[in-house]
Amino acid sequence: VYNAAPAWGVTVGDALGVPDPVLTQHQHQHQGQTFSFLGIRVSSPLTLVVNGKRPPGSALAPPRLALSNPSAPP
């Protein structure tokens, strides 16, 4: 689950409700083989319903800021 906190997750056997999913077909080629699979995305893990309940706010990974300046001297 993207953007989920490292300490949160779902396990085998959990009932998972996915409101407003975005279904995407992925196709990748590597060393002459083609891999094709479907991916489901949601805007946030907080929108899921796990075993009839919404995840707690702590299920969302904290934001991280990454900065780069390619023109800055090393």
Side-chain angles (χ1 to χ4, degrees):
V1 177
Y2 294 105
N3 296 323
W8 181 86
V10 294
T11 59
V12 174
D14 283 347
L16 185 64
V18 184
D20 301 321
V22 176
L23 184 65
T24 305
Q25 174 75 38
H26 298 271
Q27 289 189 336
H28 302 279
Q29 292 186 356
H30 179 69
Q31 296 181 349
Q33 292 185 315
T34 300
F35 300 92
S36 178
F37 58 93
L38 295 173
I40 298 175
R41 297 205 65 163
V42 293
S43 59
S44 165
L46 300 181
T47 63
L48 299 173
V49 178
V50 182
N51 298 325
K53 300 177 188 173
R54 296 275 184 188
S58 61
L60 186 61
R64 288 189 284 175
L65 178 62
L67 301 173
S68 66
N69 185 352
S71 62

